[in-house]
Amino acid sequence: MGETLDFSEEENIRLLMLNILKALKYFYSFKELESLLEISSQVLWRYLSFRAVPEKETALKIIEKVKEKKLVQKILDKLKESEELEIDVTNPGVLLLAYLKLANEKWANDAMVIITKDDPFSVAISTVLALNFRAKLCVASPKIFSKNYIYEVYASSTKEIKAYALSRKCIQRKDKVLISLYECEAEECLSLINLASRLHANVNGLFVFKGNREKLREIIERNLDLKIPVETLLETL
């Protein structure tokens, strides 16, 4: 999957279309969507208010129009240029786009547990993913000291010694885990993967809202000898 969301056909195409429309509505008015999608604003309103259900062909047409007009890509491009990205990420439409980025990925849908760190942006993104994937949410924190927690100590890029703690009760042996973060240093990602591995969970993949997909893949493979899927919403250099 590239930087643009990949809207491939899935079992419930109508639900996918509805989620796309819900996300777009945070950035476009009904009149703008009417012009862009070539469907009346009243019909779009009826879909979003659950007063009408589109035919599968109509749902596919809407999805194709979204791809053709690059409506999502334009939103992502604006986010990249934003000077207030940490404010923008709290927009429900942005959070829904994060979910849609992974919606067709089997490794994400199979996740039983989502691990994140305790910054508010990572927690917001991961909460939306947990709700949509029906997964348990586990938040790793550097501030908890208890025998019921497992710890991973690491050196940051500035050589500062840091640690993450995760409840032993949050993850069961062989749980399928998705690690979800707003952004992360390489050392942070590695420490969270190590925490899950030490609890004998299977790390299905990593999602970083803002990061470099290929660099993260290479770092994980080089340091942990582990090949896992990595996805980002906003790709950085």
Side-chain angles (χ1 to χ4, degrees), residues 27-92:
F27 305 96
Y28 299 94
S29 68
F30 275 119
K31 281 298 180 184
E32 288 173 324
L33 289 174
E34 178 180 64
S35 174
L36 292 165
L37 302 177
E38 299 175 10
I39 294 179
S40 79
S41 57
Q42 186 175 14
V43 170
L44 293 174
W45 175 82
R46 287 174 65 83
Y47 291 160
L48 284 174
S49 60
F50 301 102
R51 295 173 187 268
V53 178
E55 295 293 330
K56 183 178 179 181
E57 291 72 20
T58 303
L60 285 170
K61 177 185 174 184
I62 290 173
I63 292 169
E64 287 305 314
K65 278 291 180 184
V66 170
K67 291 173 64 176
E68 177 189 325
K69 298 292 178 71
K70 298 183 178 179
L71 300 187
V72 171
Q73 188 59 52
K74 289 176 181 177
I75 294 169
L76 298 182
D77 289 343
K78 285 182 180 179
L79 287 174
K80 277 187 174 182
E81 297 170 2
S82 174
E83 296 180 356
E84 298 182 322
L85 182 57
E86 291 186 346
I87 295 175
D88 294 330
V89 82
T90 61
N91 181 324

Coordinates of all heavy atoms in Angstrom, one line a residue, residues 27-92:
F27 N -13.8 17.6 6.3 CA -12.9 18.5 5.5 C -13.6 19.2 4.3 O -13.1 20.2 3.8 CB -11.7 17.7 5.0 CG -10.9 17.0 6.0 CD1 -11.2 15.7 6.3 CD2 -10.0 17.7 6.8 CE1 -10.5 15.0 7.3 CE2 -9.3 17.0 7.8 CZ -9.5 15.7 8.0
Y28 N -14.7 18.6 3.9 CA -15.5 19.1 2.8 C -17.0 19.3 3.2 O -17.5 18.5 4.0 CB -15.5 18.2 1.6 CG -14.1 17.9 1.0 CD1 -13.3 16.8 1.5 CD2 -13.5 18.7 0.1 CE1 -12.1 16.5 1.0 CE2 -12.2 18.4 -0.4 CZ -11.5 17.3 0.0 OH -10.3 17.0 -0.5
S29 N -17.6 20.4 2.6 CA -19.0 20.6 2.9 C -19.8 19.6 2.0 O -19.3 19.0 1.1 CB -19.4 22.0 2.5 OG -19.3 22.2 1.1
F30 N -21.1 19.5 2.3 CA -22.0 18.6 1.4 C -22.0 19.1 0.0 O -22.0 18.3 -0.9 CB -23.4 18.5 2.0 CG -23.6 17.5 3.1 CD1 -23.9 17.8 4.3 CD2 -23.4 16.1 2.8 CE1 -24.1 16.9 5.3 CE2 -23.5 15.2 3.8 CZ -23.9 15.5 5.0
K31 N -22.0 20.4 -0.2 CA -22.1 21.0 -1.5 C -20.8 20.7 -2.3 O -20.8 20.4 -3.5 CB -22.3 22.5 -1.4 CG -23.7 22.9 -1.2 CD -24.6 22.4 -2.3 CE -26.1 22.8 -2.1 NZ -26.9 22.2 -3.2
E32 N -19.6 20.8 -1.6 CA -18.4 20.5 -2.2 C -18.3 19.0 -2.6 O -17.9 18.7 -3.7 CB -17.2 20.8 -1.2 CG -17.0 22.3 -1.1 CD -15.9 22.6 0.0 OE1 -15.9 21.9 1.0 OE2 -15.2 23.6 -0.2
L33 N -18.8 18.1 -1.7 CA -18.8 16.7 -2.0 C -19.8 16.4 -3.2 O -19.5 15.5 -4.0 CB -19.2 15.9 -0.8 CG -18.1 15.8 0.3 CD1 -18.6 15.1 1.6 CD2 -16.8 15.1 -0.2
E34 N -20.9 17.1 -3.2 CA -21.8 16.9 -4.3 C -21.1 17.2 -5.7 O -21.3 16.4 -6.6 CB -23.0 17.9 -4.2 CG -24.0 17.8 -5.3 CD -25.2 18.8 -5.1 OE1 -24.9 20.0 -5.1 OE2 -26.3 18.3 -4.9
S35 N -20.4 18.2 -5.7 CA -19.7 18.6 -7.0 C -18.6 17.6 -7.3 O -18.4 17.1 -8.4 CB -19.1 20.0 -6.9 OG -18.3 20.3 -8.0
L36 N -17.8 17.2 -6.3 CA -16.7 16.3 -6.5 C -17.1 14.9 -6.8 O -16.4 14.2 -7.6 CB -15.8 16.3 -5.2 CG -15.0 17.6 -4.9 CD1 -14.5 17.7 -3.5 CD2 -13.9 17.8 -5.9
L37 N -18.1 14.4 -6.1 CA -18.5 13.0 -6.3 C -19.6 12.8 -7.3 O -20.0 11.6 -7.6 CB -18.9 12.4 -4.9 CG -17.9 12.5 -3.8 CD1 -18.5 11.9 -2.5 CD2 -16.6 11.7 -4.2
E38 N -20.2 13.9 -7.7 CA -21.3 13.9 -8.7 C -22.5 13.1 -8.2 O -23.2 12.3 -8.9 CB -20.8 13.3 -10.0 CG -19.7 14.1 -10.7 CD -19.1 13.5 -11.9 OE1 -19.7 12.5 -12.4 OE2 -18.1 13.9 -12.4
I39 N -22.8 13.3 -6.9 CA -24.0 12.7 -6.2 C -24.6 13.9 -5.4 O -23.9 14.6 -4.7 CB -23.6 11.5 -5.4 CG1 -23.1 10.4 -6.2 CG2 -24.8 11.1 -4.5 CD1 -22.7 9.1 -5.5
S40 N -25.9 14.0 -5.4 CA -26.5 15.1 -4.8 C -26.2 15.1 -3.3 O -26.1 14.1 -2.6 CB -28.1 15.1 -5.0 OG -28.7 14.1 -4.1
S41 N -26.1 16.3 -2.7 CA -25.8 16.5 -1.3 C -26.9 15.9 -0.4 O -26.6 15.4 0.6 CB -25.6 18.0 -1.0 OG -26.8 18.7 -1.4
Q42 N -28.1 15.9 -0.9 CA -29.2 15.4 -0.2 C -29.1 13.8 0.0 O -29.3 13.3 1.1 CB -30.6 15.7 -0.8 CG -31.8 15.2 0.0 CD -33.1 15.6 -0.6 OE1 -33.2 16.1 -1.7 NE2 -34.2 15.5 0.2
V43 N -28.7 13.2 -1.1 CA -28.4 11.7 -1.1 C -27.3 11.4 -0.1 O -27.4 10.5 0.7 CB -28.2 11.2 -2.5 CG1 -27.7 9.7 -2.4 CG2 -29.4 11.3 -3.4
L44 N -26.2 12.2 -0.2 CA -25.0 12.0 0.6 C -25.4 12.1 2.1 O -25.0 11.4 3.0 CB -23.9 12.9 0.3 CG -23.3 12.7 -1.1 CD1 -22.3 13.9 -1.4 CD2 -22.6 11.4 -1.2
W45 N -26.3 13.2 2.4 CA -26.7 13.4 3.7 C -27.5 12.2 4.2 O -27.4 11.8 5.4 CB -27.6 14.7 3.8 CG -28.2 14.9 5.2 CD1 -27.6 15.4 6.3 CD2 -29.5 14.5 5.6 NE1 -28.5 15.4 7.3 CE2 -29.7 14.9 6.9 CE3 -30.6 13.9 4.9 CZ2 -30.8 14.7 7.6 CZ3 -31.8 13.8 5.6 CH2 -31.9 14.1 7.0
R46 N -28.4 11.6 3.3 CA -29.2 10.5 3.7 C -28.3 9.3 4.0 O -28.6 8.5 4.9 CB -30.2 10.2 2.6 CG -31.4 11.2 2.5 CD -32.2 10.9 1.3 NE -32.9 9.6 1.4 CZ -34.0 9.4 2.0 NH1 -34.6 10.4 2.7 NH2 -34.6 8.2 2.1
Y47 N -27.3 9.1 3.3 CA -26.4 8.0 3.6 C -25.7 8.1 5.0 O -25.7 7.2 5.8 CB -25.2 7.9 2.5 CG -25.7 7.5 1.2 CD1 -24.9 7.8 0.0 CD2 -26.9 6.8 0.9 CE1 -25.3 7.4 -1.2 CE2 -27.3 6.4 -0.3 CZ -26.5 6.7 -1.4 OH -26.9 6.3 -2.7
L48 N -25.2 9.4 5.2 CA -24.5 9.6 6.5 C -25.4 9.6 7.7 O -25.0 9.4 8.8 CB -23.7 10.9 6.4 CG -22.4 10.8 5.6 CD1 -21.8 12.2 5.4 CD2 -21.4 9.8 6.2
S49 N -26.7 9.9 7.5 CA -27.7 9.9 8.6 C -28.4 8.6 8.7 O -29.4 8.5 9.4 CB -28.7 11.1 8.4 OG -29.4 10.9 7.2
F50 N -28.0 7.6 7.9 CA -28.6 6.2 7.9 C -30.0 6.2 7.5 O -30.8 5.3 7.9 CB -28.4 5.6 9.3 CG -27.0 5.5 9.7 CD1 -26.4 6.3 10.7 CD2 -26.1 4.5 9.2 CE1 -25.1 6.3 11.1 CE2 -24.8 4.4 9.6 CZ -24.3 5.3 10.5
R51 N -30.4 7.2 6.7 CA -31.8 7.2 6.2 C -31.9 6.5 4.9 O -33.0 6.3 4.3 CB -32.3 8.6 6.1 CG -32.4 9.4 7.4 CD -32.7 10.8 7.3 NE -32.6 11.5 8.5 CZ -33.7 11.7 9.4 NH1 -34.8 11.2 9.0 NH2 -33.5 12.3 10.5
A52 N -30.8 6.1 4.3 CA -30.8 5.4 3.0 C -29.5 4.5 3.0 O -28.5 4.9 3.6 CB -30.8 6.3 1.8
V53 N -29.6 3.4 2.2 CA -28.5 2.5 2.1 C -28.2 2.5 0.6 O -29.0 2.1 -0.2 CB -28.8 1.1 2.6 CG1 -27.6 0.2 2.3 CG2 -29.2 1.1 4.1
P54 N -26.9 2.8 0.2 CA -26.6 2.8 -1.2 C -26.5 1.4 -1.8 O -26.1 0.4 -1.1 CB -25.2 3.5 -1.3 CG -24.6 3.1 0.1 CD -25.8 3.1 1.0
E55 N -26.7 1.2 -3.1 CA -26.5 0.0 -3.8 C -24.9 -0.2 -3.8 O -24.2 0.7 -3.7 CB -27.0 0.0 -5.2 CG -28.5 0.1 -5.3 CD -29.2 -1.2 -4.8 OE1 -28.6 -2.3 -4.9 OE2 -30.3 -1.1 -4.2
K56 N -24.5 -1.5 -3.9 CA -23.1 -1.7 -3.9 C -22.4 -1.0 -5.0 O -21.3 -0.4 -4.9 CB -22.8 -3.2 -4.1 CG -21.4 -3.6 -4.0 CD -21.2 -5.1 -4.1 CE -19.7 -5.5 -4.1 NZ -19.5 -6.9 -4.2
E57 N -23.1 -0.9 -6.2 CA -22.5 -0.2 -7.4 C -22.3 1.3 -7.1 O -21.3 1.9 -7.5 CB -23.4 -0.4 -8.6 CG -23.4 -1.8 -9.2 CD -24.2 -2.8 -8.3 OE1 -25.0 -2.3 -7.5 OE2 -24.0 -4.0 -8.4
T58 N -23.2 1.9 -6.4 CA -23.1 3.3 -6.0 C -22.0 3.5 -5.0 O -21.2 4.4 -5.1 CB -24.5 3.8 -5.4 OG1 -25.5 3.5 -6.3 CG2 -24.4 5.3 -5.0
A59 N -21.9 2.6 -4.1 CA -20.8 2.7 -3.1 C -19.4 2.6 -3.8 O -18.5 3.4 -3.5 CB -20.9 1.6 -2.0
L60 N -19.3 1.7 -4.7 CA -18.1 1.5 -5.5 C -17.8 2.8 -6.3 O -16.6 3.2 -6.4 CB -18.1 0.3 -6.4 CG -18.0 -1.1 -5.7 CD1 -18.3 -2.2 -6.6 CD2 -16.6 -1.2 -5.1
K61 N -18.8 3.3 -6.9 CA -18.7 4.6 -7.7 C -18.1 5.7 -6.8 O -17.2 6.4 -7.2 CB -20.0 5.0 -8.3 CG -19.9 6.3 -9.1 CD -21.3 6.7 -9.6 CE -21.3 8.1 -10.2 NZ -22.6 8.6 -10.6
I62 N -18.6 5.8 -5.6 CA -18.2 6.9 -4.7 C -16.7 6.7 -4.3 O -15.9 7.6 -4.4 CB -19.1 6.9 -3.4 CG1 -20.5 7.5 -3.8 CG2 -18.4 7.8 -2.4 CD1 -21.5 7.4 -2.7
I63 N -16.4 5.4 -4.0 CA -15.0 5.1 -3.7 C -14.0 5.4 -4.8 O -12.9 6.0 -4.7 CB -14.8 3.6 -3.2 CG1 -15.6 3.4 -1.9 CG2 -13.4 3.2 -3.1 CD1 -15.7 2.0 -1.5
E64 N -14.4 5.1 -6.1 CA -13.6 5.3 -7.2 C -13.5 6.8 -7.5 O -12.4 7.3 -7.9 CB -14.2 4.6 -8.5 CG -14.0 3.1 -8.5 CD -12.6 2.7 -8.3 OE1 -11.7 3.3 -9.0 OE2 -12.3 1.8 -7.5
K65 N -14.5 7.6 -7.2 CA -14.5 9.0 -7.4 C -13.5 9.7 -6.4 O -12.7 10.6 -6.7 CB -15.8 9.7 -7.3 CG -16.7 9.6 -8.5 CD -16.2 10.5 -9.6 CE -17.0 10.5 -10.8 NZ -16.4 11.3 -11.9
V66 N -13.5 9.1 -5.2 CA -12.6 9.6 -4.1 C -11.1 9.4 -4.6 O -10.3 10.3 -4.4 CB -12.9 8.9 -2.8 CG1 -11.8 9.2 -1.8 CG2 -14.2 9.3 -2.2
K67 N -10.9 8.2 -5.2 CA -9.5 7.9 -5.7 C -9.2 8.8 -6.9 O -8.1 9.4 -6.9 CB -9.5 6.4 -6.1 CG -9.5 5.5 -4.9 CD -9.6 4.0 -5.4 CE -8.4 3.6 -6.2 NZ -8.5 2.2 -6.5
E68 N -10.1 8.9 -7.8 CA -9.9 9.7 -9.0 C -9.6 11.2 -8.7 O -8.7 11.8 -9.3 CB -11.1 9.6 -9.9 CG -11.0 10.4 -11.2 CD -12.4 10.4 -11.9 OE1 -13.1 9.4 -11.9 OE2 -12.7 11.5 -12.5
K69 N -10.3 11.7 -7.8 CA -10.1 13.2 -7.4 C -9.1 13.4 -6.4 O -8.8 14.5 -6.0 CB -11.5 13.7 -6.9 CG -12.6 13.7 -7.9 CD -12.4 14.6 -9.1 CE -13.5 14.6 -10.1 NZ -14.7 15.2 -9.7
K70 N -8.5 12.3 -5.9 CA -7.4 12.3 -4.9 C -7.8 13.1 -3.7 O -7.0 13.9 -3.1 CB -6.1 12.9 -5.5 CG -5.6 12.0 -6.7 CD -4.3 12.6 -7.2 CE -3.8 11.7 -8.3 NZ -2.5 12.2 -8.9
L71 N -9.0 12.9 -3.2 CA -9.6 13.7 -2.1 C -8.8 13.5 -0.8 O -8.5 14.4 0.0 CB -11.1 13.5 -1.9 CG -12.0 13.8 -3.1 CD1 -13.4 13.6 -2.7 CD2 -11.7 15.2 -3.7
V72 N -8.5 12.2 -0.6 CA -7.8 11.9 0.7 C -6.3 12.4 0.6 O -5.8 13.0 1.5 CB -7.8 10.4 0.9 CG1 -6.9 10.0 2.1 CG2 -9.2 9.9 1.3
Q73 N -5.7 12.2 -0.6 CA -4.3 12.6 -0.7 C -4.2 14.2 -0.5 O -3.2 14.6 0.1 CB -3.8 12.3 -2.1 CG -2.3 12.5 -2.3 CD -1.5 11.8 -1.3 OE1 -1.6 10.5 -1.2 NE2 -0.6 12.4 -0.6
K74 N -5.2 14.9 -1.0 CA -5.1 16.4 -0.8 C -5.2 16.7 0.7 O -4.6 17.7 1.2 CB -6.3 17.0 -1.5 CG -6.1 17.0 -3.0 CD -7.3 17.5 -3.8 CE -7.1 17.4 -5.3 NZ -8.3 17.9 -6.1
I75 N -6.0 15.9 1.5 CA -6.1 16.2 2.9 C -4.7 15.9 3.6 O -4.2 16.6 4.4 CB -7.2 15.3 3.6 CG1 -8.5 15.7 3.1 CG2 -7.1 15.4 5.1 CD1 -9.6 14.7 3.4
L76 N -4.1 14.7 3.2 CA -2.8 14.3 3.7 C -1.7 15.4 3.4 O -0.9 15.7 4.2 CB -2.4 13.0 3.2 CG -3.3 11.8 3.6 CD1 -2.8 10.5 3.1 CD2 -3.6 11.7 5.1
D77 N -1.8 15.9 2.2 CA -0.8 16.9 1.8 C -0.9 18.2 2.6 O 0.1 18.8 3.0 CB -1.0 17.3 0.3 CG -0.5 16.1 -0.7 OD1 0.2 15.2 -0.2 OD2 -0.9 16.1 -1.8
K78 N -2.2 18.6 2.9 CA -2.4 19.7 3.8 C -1.9 19.5 5.2 O -1.3 20.4 5.8 CB -3.8 20.1 3.8 CG -4.3 20.8 2.5 CD -5.8 21.2 2.6 CE -6.3 21.8 1.3 NZ -7.7 22.2 1.4
L79 N -2.1 18.3 5.7 CA -1.6 17.9 7.0 C -0.1 18.0 7.1 O 0.5 18.4 8.1 CB -2.1 16.5 7.4 CG -3.6 16.3 7.7 CD1 -3.9 14.9 7.9 CD2 -3.9 17.1 9.0
K80 N 0.6 17.5 6.0 CA 2.0 17.6 6.0 C 2.6 19.0 6.1 O 3.6 19.2 6.7 CB 2.5 17.0 4.7 CG 2.7 15.5 4.7 CD 3.3 15.0 3.4 CE 3.6 13.5 3.4 NZ 4.3 13.1 2.2
E81 N 1.8 19.9 5.5 CA 2.3 21.3 5.5 C 1.8 22.1 6.8 O 2.2 23.2 7.0 CB 1.7 22.0 4.3 CG 2.2 21.4 3.0 CD 1.5 22.0 1.8 OE1 0.6 22.8 1.9 OE2 1.8 21.5 0.6
S82 N 1.0 21.5 7.6 CA 0.4 22.1 8.7 C 1.4 22.5 9.8 O 2.3 21.7 10.1 CB -0.7 21.3 9.3 OG -1.2 21.9 10.5
E83 N 1.3 23.6 10.3 CA 2.2 24.1 11.4 C 1.6 23.7 12.8 O 2.2 23.9 13.8 CB 2.5 25.6 11.4 CG 3.2 26.0 10.1 CD 3.5 27.5 10.1 OE1 3.0 28.2 11.0 OE2 4.2 27.9 9.1
E84 N 0.4 23.1 12.8 CA -0.3 22.7 14.0 C -0.8 21.3 13.9 O -1.9 20.9 14.2 CB -1.5 23.6 14.2 CG -1.1 25.1 14.4 CD -2.3 26.0 14.7 OE1 -3.4 25.7 14.2 OE2 -2.2 26.9 15.6
L85 N 0.1 20.4 13.4 CA -0.3 19.0 13.2 C -0.8 18.3 14.5 O -1.7 17.5 14.4 CB 0.9 18.2 12.6 CG 0.7 16.8 12.3 CD1 -0.5 16.6 11.3 CD2 1.9 16.1 11.7
E86 N -0.2 18.6 15.6 CA -0.6 18.0 16.8 C -2.0 18.4 17.2 O -2.7 17.7 18.0 CB 0.4 18.3 17.9 CG 1.8 17.6 17.7 CD 2.7 17.8 18.8 OE1 2.5 18.6 19.7 OE2 3.7 17.0 18.8
I87 N -2.5 19.6 16.7 CA -3.9 20.0 16.9 C -4.7 19.3 15.9 O -5.8 18.7 16.2 CB -4.0 21.5 16.8 CG1 -3.3 22.2 18.0 CG2 -5.5 21.9 16.9 CD1 -3.3 23.7 17.9
D88 N -4.2 19.2 14.7 CA -5.0 18.6 13.6 C -5.3 17.1 13.9 O -6.3 16.6 13.5 CB -4.2 18.7 12.3 CG -4.1 20.1 11.8 OD1 -5.0 20.9 12.1 OD2 -3.1 20.5 11.1
V89 N -4.3 16.4 14.5 CA -4.5 15.0 14.8 C -5.7 14.7 15.7 O -6.1 13.5 15.7 CB -3.2 14.4 15.3 CG1 -3.0 14.6 16.8 CG2 -3.1 12.9 14.9
T90 N -6.2 15.7 16.4 CA -7.3 15.5 17.3 C -8.6 15.6 16.5 O -9.7 15.3 17.0 CB -7.3 16.4 18.4 OG1 -7.4 17.8 17.9 CG2 -6.1 16.3 19.3
N91 N -8.6 16.0 15.2 CA -9.8 16.1 14.4 C -10.3 14.6 14.2 O -9.5 13.8 13.7 CB -9.4 16.7 13.0 CG -10.5 16.8 12.1 OD1 -11.4 16.0 12.0 ND2 -10.5 17.9 11.3
P92 N -11.5 14.4 14.5 CA -12.1 13.0 14.3 C -11.9 12.5 12.8 O -11.7 11.3 12.6 CB -13.6 13.1 14.6 CG -13.6 14.3 15.5 CD -12.6 15.3 15.1

